[in-house]
């Protein structure tokens, strides 16, 4: 079948899109800007400034400290966790929000290792986000280098083979921790199968859902997952630096210990006892006073995703990524681009990497003069985030067309090859 590469076809797909109306719920001052980085920093929901204004003016300005009780600031880490829970297949009381993904990951890695004190092996992979791998290295050092950290290799930088997984996880494994969707190639694990296999070996499993939450179906309870963490500023649209979530399976909560014995995790914070007695529930993983302003900014994004529903979001995400891959195959492959992402939708998240030797300079030209905002990940990946809540098929078409122009018109050649601080 010949690919219909016309812009009219993209407009037709937008007309048939049942989620198209959600785009109007986001701030878009510049209609010509094609935003392809919703997997890194989600767009601003229209109702967030109003909500934050109310929190600042009314709850902080007028009510002052009374808001800890009256506005529910004190319980907000759990309240927002409960709001997020259905989107990641968790139950109420299993999710809390606060601290960064990195810090939450640190807390849960130590909690998991504490439950498997006699097992020396930690399994992760070469796809994982560097912060997660650094934390694992730090934890290893902190615990006296008793553990060995096994990073599963990838044959091609895109996929992880089941054989590699099966031979890496064994009866000496304490913890398996992976990103459900890999930040570079977008490879998506069969999380249920990995969790089941790890449990058969007696290991615990911690999923990083940063590139998954809000974009692909996540079923923590169903998978039998033990622990999870993830960002709220990516597909959840919580805003820059918004605090991250953590999940601990209900049955593990009373045994798993947080390494940060903060007063918010104490069973009676306002008793001001001199000795720590951890709360019996998820609260023991909340370390200290939450960042209220950025925490409350998360609510609007989560509500919009909940209204859309994760199944329709996934259906649209698959349609968007299929469309982009087909356009890239037809229009960009002849210009030297190679797909750096799985072709099978079941093994792919909601972003696409296309690779080109001039990837870095092409990315610069797109941002500086073509009104397209993707991002770049070394060594040669142009990464395109397709956030199903607001990315349109026309956005996809425009992106491919503007990439084509940057290459054909050799616009990238005006840029230096030295990298900016944030790519
Ligand atoms: C984005 C991302 C992070 C970022 O962690 P921060 O603590 O928010 O900087 C961590 N892990 C993964 C898998 C990510 O994609």
């Amino acid at each position: 079948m010949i690919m219909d590469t016309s812009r009219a076809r993209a407009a037709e797909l937008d007309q048939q899109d049942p989620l198209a109306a959600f785009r109007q719920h986001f701030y878009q001052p510049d209609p010509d800007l094609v935003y392809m980085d919703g997997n890194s920093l989600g767009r601003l929901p229209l109702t967030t400034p109003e909500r934050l204004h109310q929190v600042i003016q009314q709850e902080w300005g007028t009510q002052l400290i009374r808001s800890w009780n009256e506005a529910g600031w004190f319980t907000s880490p759990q309240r927002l966790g409960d709001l997020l829970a259905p989107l990641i297949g968790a139950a109420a009381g299993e999710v809390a929000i606060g601290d960064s993904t990195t810090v939450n990951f640190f807390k849960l890695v130590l909690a998991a290792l504490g439950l498997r004190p006699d097992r020396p092996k930690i399994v992760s992979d070469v796809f994982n986000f560097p912060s997660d791998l650094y934390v694992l290295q730090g934890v290893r050092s902190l615990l006296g280098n008793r553990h060995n950290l096994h990073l599963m290799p990838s044959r091609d930088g895109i996929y992880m083979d089941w054989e590699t997984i099966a031979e890496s996880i064994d009866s000496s494994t304490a913890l398996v921790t992976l990103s459900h969707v890999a930040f570079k190639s977008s490879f998506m694990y069969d999380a249920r199968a990995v969790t089941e296999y790890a449990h058969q070996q007696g290991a615990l499993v911690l999923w990083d859902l940063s590139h998954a939450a809000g974009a692909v179906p996540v079923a923590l309870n169903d998978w039998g997952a033990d622990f999870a963490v993830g960002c709220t500023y990516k597909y959840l649209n919580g805003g820059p630096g918004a605090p991250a979530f953590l999940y601990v399976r209900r049955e593990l909560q009373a045994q798993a210990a947080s390494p940060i014995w903060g007063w918010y995790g104490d069973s009676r914070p306002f008793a001001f006892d001199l000795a720590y007695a951890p709360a019996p529930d998820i609260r023991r993983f909340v370390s200290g006073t939450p960042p209220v302003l950025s925490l409350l900014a998360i609510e609007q994004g989560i509500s919009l995703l909940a209204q859309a529903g994760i199944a329709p979001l996934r259906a649209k995400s698959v349609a968007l990524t299929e469309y982009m891959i087909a356009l890239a195959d037809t229009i960009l492959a002849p210009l030297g681009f190679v797909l750096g992402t799985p072709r099978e939708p079941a093994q792919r998240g909601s972003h696409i990497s296309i690779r080109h030797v001039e990837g870095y300079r092409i990315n610069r030209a797109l941002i500086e003069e073509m009104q397209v905002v993707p991002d770049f990940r070394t060594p040669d990946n142009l990464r395109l985030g397709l956030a199903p809540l607001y990315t349109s098929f026309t956005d996809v078409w425009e992106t491919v067309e503007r990439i084509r122009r940057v290459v054909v018109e050799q616009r990238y050649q005006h840029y230096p090859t030295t990298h900016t601080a944030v790519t």
Side-chain angles (χ1 to χ4, degrees):
M1 201 182 77
I2 293 171
M3 167 85 193
D4 182 350
T5 58
S6 69
R7 196 177 196 279
R9 176 61 187 151
E12 194 175 275
L13 290 168
D14 281 331
Q15 255 165 16
Q16 296 161 2
D17 169 17
L19 299 183
F22 280 94
R23 189 178 171 88
Q24 305 314 318
H25 293 284
F26 292 88
Y27 194 62
Q28 300 170 77
D30 180 356
D32 192 42
L33 182 79
V34 180
Y35 192 60
M36 285 286 138
D37 219 359
N39 59 317
S40 222
L41 177 65
R43 277 187 184 273
L44 170 63
L46 280 184
T47 52
T48 299
E50 193 186 321
R51 171 69 179 132
L52 274 182
H53 185 75
Q54 181 203 8
V55 172
I56 291 170
Q57 200 77 22
Q58 182 64 29
E59 298 183 8
W60 177 14
T62 306
Q63 292 301 104
L64 287 164
I65 202 162
R66 291 168 287 189
S67 285
W68 284 105
N69 285 317
E70 289 168 12
W73 288 356
F74 186 63
T75 51
S76 55
Q78 298 99 279
R79 184 178 70 79
L80 287 164
D82 287 349
L83 202 67
L84 173 64
L87 281 175
I88 53 175
E94 291 185 315
V95 182
I97 306 186
D99 298 326
S100 64
T101 299
T102 303
V103 170
N104 285 340
F105 184 73
F106 173 80
K107 290 188 278 190
L108 296 191
V109 166
L110 277 160
L113 295 180
L115 294 173
R116 292 290 181 276
D118 301 326
R119 291 180 171 227
K121 189 173 184 181
I122 301 170
V123 174
S124 188
D125 69 9
V126 293
F127 292 157
N128 214 344
F129 195 75
S131 204
D132 298 40
L133 299 179
Y134 301 162
V135 165
L136 291 173
Q137 292 161 33
V139 164
R140 182 174 176 274
S141 164
L142 187 70
L143 297 179
N145 298 316
R146 287 190 280 118
H147 295 87
N148 55 70
L149 175 57
H150 177 76
L151 298 188
M152 299 191 289
S154 163
R155 195 166 22 90
D156 50 15
I158 297 178
Y159 294 91
M160 183 61 62
D161 303 324
W162 183 259
E163 303 82 78
T164 308
I165 298 169
E167 70 191 22
S168 300
I169 305 171
D170 58 30
S171 60
S172 73
T173 307
L175 175 66
V176 177
T177 183
L178 302 163
S179 287
H180 182 210
V181 174
F183 81 100
K184 215 178 268 186
S185 81
S186 197
F187 173 79
M188 180 164 72
Y189 276 99
D190 181 339
R192 181 193 309 274
V194 173
T195 303
E196 271 174 18
Y197 185 78
H199 283 171
Q200 280 162 20
Q201 309 301 314
L204 292 162
V205 183
L206 193 176
W207 290 103
D208 189 326
L209 303 174
S210 293
H211 272 84
V216 305
V218 172
L220 291 169
N221 283 174
D222 249 30
W223 299 345
D226 302 298
F227 301 97
V229 295
C231 297
T232 62
Y233 52 78
K234 294 175 177 172
Y235 293 105
L236 300 180
N237 310 306
F245 63 88
L246 60 78
Y247 160 90
V248 180
R249 183 154 62 85
R250 165 106 49 208
E251 302 89 88
L252 294 177
Q253 288 174 8
Q255 319 148 42
S258 171
I260 301 174
W261 291 15
W263 73 306
Y264 259 66
D266 186 80
S267 52
R268 299 185 308 144
F270 285 88
F272 297 106
D273 276 343
L274 298 189
Y276 174 71
D281 53 16
I282 193 73
R283 201 158 54 77
R284 63 171 55 190
F285 290 98
V286 181
S287 22
T289 306
V292 173
L293 298 184
S294 43
L295 181 59
L296 296 181
I298 294 169
E299 187 160 1
Q300 316 299 311
I302 296 176
S303 303
L304 286 170
L305 287 158
Q307 278 171 46
I310 207 72
L313 285 165
R314 173 61 174 167
K316 181 174 172 193
S317 158
V318 168
L320 285 168
T321 52
E322 288 284 275
Y323 183 54
M324 179 156 258
I325 289 173
L327 286 176
D329 282 346
T330 313
I331 294 164
L332 301 180
L335 302 177
F337 283 93
V338 178
L339 187 67
T341 290
R343 288 190 174 273
E344 305 77 2
Q347 296 188 67
R348 181 172 77 222
S350 203
H351 64 278
I352 299 279
S353 278
I354 53 175
R355 314 181 62 170
H356 192 284
V357 279
E358 288 290 354
Y360 176 74
R361 295 203 291 172
I362 293 169
N363 181 56
R364 282 290 302 278
L366 286 166
I367 294 170
E368 309 276 340
E369 54 186 281
M370 300 306 278
Q371 293 272 78
V372 178
V373 182
D375 63 22
F376 173 79
R377 290 294 176 265
T378 57
D380 57 1
N381 293 279
L382 194 61
R383 202 172 61 148
L384 304 156
L386 307 173
L389 201 54
Y390 51 76
T391 302
S392 68
F393 291 87
T394 303
D395 284 338
V396 171
W397 189 90
E398 282 291 339
T399 299
V400 172
E401 168 59 13
R402 296 184 205 186
I403 294 172
R404 186 192 68 79
R405 284 185 52 200
V406 164
V407 177
V408 170
E409 295 165 11
Q410 303 196 334
R411 289 169 180 255
Y412 63 86
Q413 293 197 345
H414 308 143
Y415 297 88
T417 51
T418 45
H419 295 190
T420 51
V422 176
T423 63

